[in-house]
Amino acid sequence: MQNENNTFSSIKNHISFQLEQIIEEAEKMQLSIGEKEYCLLCELAQIRDRFNEIQSTASFFYLKAYIAEFTSQYIEIAKAIQNLSERRHGALIVVERHQNVDHLIQEGIQLNATLSNRLIESIFYPGNPLHDGAVLIKGDYMISAANVLPLSSQDFGQEKVGTRHRAAIGLSEITDALILIVSEETGKMSFALEGTLYPISTPDSNLQ
């Protein structure tokens, strides 16, 4: 519990620091905007990058808020997706919340196993016959694996969105489930909620 509290305290402090930096940079922009040599576009790009970093870091903080009520093993999930991310092992994990999702997915293989980061990681190990579908989590149990989710019908334009991400967004559009994704190509972590995809960044040392 102490390590968990340290994790979220670290995240809040990091977000607070980044916001203070943005405020300082915005004040300098306001004072310098009339200067001939001043590059406003460059400064705006830097501030945009800082906001993106804050969003990514804050996503892990709010991940706890979104699923802690529904599973006491959210740290196990966080450890699993971080380890999968480091190895670039693709993953798709559905955390059921208030609404039942059984009738909306194509059921895979029954597990009915106690949730653990090691089991999640083993399922998504490349070559495992279960790794291509989604794991369904209800409470502290992994109910099934290799589940097929409905794909989103959103038009993503020129943005490249893989099948895992489309599936995660698709299910999140029609249920209140939170769906976690690890990209096999980049190792980047994200989660889908209410039809929107959010990046995740976690402080490595605090999840060990």
Side-chain angles (χ1 to χ4, degrees):
M1 181 62 71
Q2 184 62 44
N3 287 339
E4 179 185 334
N5 291 335
N6 290 340
T7 295
F8 294 108
S9 176
S10 174
I11 293 171
K12 287 190 289 185
N13 290 338
H14 177 73
I15 293 172
S16 178
F17 173 77
Q18 292 295 331
L19 288 173
E20 289 174 359
Q21 293 298 303
I22 289 174
I23 292 171
E24 289 182 10
E25 290 174 13
E27 290 174 346
K28 291 178 182 177
M29 287 170 59
Q30 186 177 23
L31 294 173
S32 306
I33 196 168
E35 297 178 7
K36 185 176 180 180
E37 301 298 325
Y38 183 69
C39 179
L40 177 61
L41 292 178
C42 296
E43 296 295 334
L44 287 173
Q46 291 180 10
I47 287 181
R48 183 184 65 241
D49 290 342
R50 284 191 182 275
F51 271 119
N52 288 338
E53 182 182 348
I54 288 173
Q55 182 190 34
S56 182
T57 304
S59 292
F60 177 68
F61 177 78
Y62 285 106
L63 184 62
K64 175 191 175 185
Y66 291 140
I67 66 175
E69 177 185 348
F70 306 97
T71 174
S72 65
Q73 300 301 312
Y74 54 86
I75 290 296
E76 290 294 300
I77 298 173
K79 286 179 180 179
I81 64 170
Q82 182 176 346
N83 291 336
L84 290 164
S85 171
E86 290 173 354
R87 301 182 181 97
R88 293 194 177 184
H89 292 174
L92 188 59
I93 302 169
V94 177
V95 180
E96 187 178 88
R97 302 203 304 162
H98 292 291
Q99 298 175 336
N100 186 286
V101 303
D102 291 343
H103 64 293
L104 297 169
I105 66 177
Q106 184 177 326
E107 190 176 45
I109 306 300
Q110 288 291 314
L111 297 176
N112 296 318
T114 301
L115 196 166
S116 73
N117 67 301
R118 293 185 181 278
L119 181 54
I120 293 175
E121 291 170 45
S122 67
I123 287 173
F124 291 110
Y125 190 85
N128 188 315
L130 303 181
H131 89 285
D132 275 338
V135 163
L136 174 60
I137 291 174
K138 297 187 180 188
D140 294 344
Y141 294 92
M142 298 168 62
I143 303 301
S144 55
N147 299 290
V148 178
L149 311 185
L151 298 180
S152 173
S153 58
Q154 285 187 41
D155 181 5
F156 295 96
Q158 299 297 317
E159 185 180 0
K160 183 181 178 182
V161 180
T163 303
R164 281 193 179 94
H165 294 80
R166 284 181 178 274
I169 295 169
L171 186 61
S172 76
E173 289 172 337
I174 54 178
T175 74
D176 70 343
L178 184 142
I179 304 94
L180 295 143
I181 314 101
V182 178
S183 170
E184 191 171 344
E185 292 184 4
T186 65
K188 290 182 178 179
M189 300 170 288
S190 54
F191 69 85
L193 186 67
E194 297 180 350
T196 301
L197 198 64
Y198 299 93
I200 301 175
S201 175
T202 61
D204 295 352
S205 61
N206 289 326
L207 286 178
Q208 301 305 317

